[in-house]
């Protein structure tokens, strides 16, 4: 039986409770919900990448990617992504950002994805993304 390994890249703050930014067991890697916080700075509280959906989405993708890389995965290993928005009016813009980002990443096949509206994010945060990857 393979060990379960918690993943916290150097770019991320230590979680405030007993959970991990990502967990890898065998060839499965689960990325916990990530938001658009800038890379961690010692002694500084988490800071959003900016007030816009574009800024926060691109930083959220960077944060998910950091965990994937920490666990030895790439975007091509992602089987499922869940996107949580705080405003239904952001669906079209998020889809545009999403499509452009993954085109630039050279993604071979798109993962399954689900987008929903969720109003429970901390004030000022507009998007959260989690991902499930299977390493070959």
């Amino acid at each position: 039986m393979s060990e379960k390994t918690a993943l916290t890249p150097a770019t991320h703050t230590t979680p405030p409770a007993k959970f991990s930014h990502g967990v890898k067991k065998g060839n499965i890697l689960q990325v916990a919900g990530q938001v658009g916080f800038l890379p961690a700075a010692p002694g500084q509280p988490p800071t959003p990448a900016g007030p816009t959906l574009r800024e926060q989405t691109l930083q959220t993708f960077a944060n998910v990617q950091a965990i994937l890389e920490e666990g030895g995965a790439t975007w091509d290993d992602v089987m499922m992504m869940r996107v949580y928005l705080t405003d239904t009016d952001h669906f079209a813009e998020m889809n545009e950002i999403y499509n452009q980002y993954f085109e630039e990443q050279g993604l071979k096949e798109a993962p399954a994805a689900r987008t929903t509206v969720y109003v429970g994010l901390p004030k000022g945060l507009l998007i959260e993304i989690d991902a499930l990857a299977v390493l070959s």
Side-chain angles (χ1 to χ4, degrees), residues 6-52:
L7 304 170
T8 299
T11 55
H12 288 55
T13 59
T14 301
K18 192 159 181 64
F19 63 85
S20 303
H21 288 290
V23 175
K24 181 178 175 183
K25 183 169 183 177
N27 68 335
I28 305 292
L29 192 161
Q30 176 66 55
V31 177
Q34 299 296 301
V35 295
F37 286 141
L38 293 169
Q44 298 292 323
T47 305
T52 70

Side-chain angles (χ1 to χ4, degrees), residues 7 12 30-31 40 62 76 78 84 98 108 112 118 124-125 128 134:
L7 304 170
H12 288 55
Q30 176 66 55
V31 177
D76 282 315
V78 174
Y84 305 93
Y98 181 100
K108 294 177 188 138
Y118 174 70
L125 293 177
E128 179 176 338
V134 178

Side-chain angles (χ1 to χ4, degrees), residues 108-133:
K108 294 177 188 138
E109 295 291 334
R114 179 183 195 287
T115 302
T116 190
V117 174
Y118 174 70
V119 295
L121 293 178
K123 185 177 173 143
L125 293 177
L126 305 173
I127 187 167
E128 179 176 338
I129 299 173
D130 67 49
L132 175 67

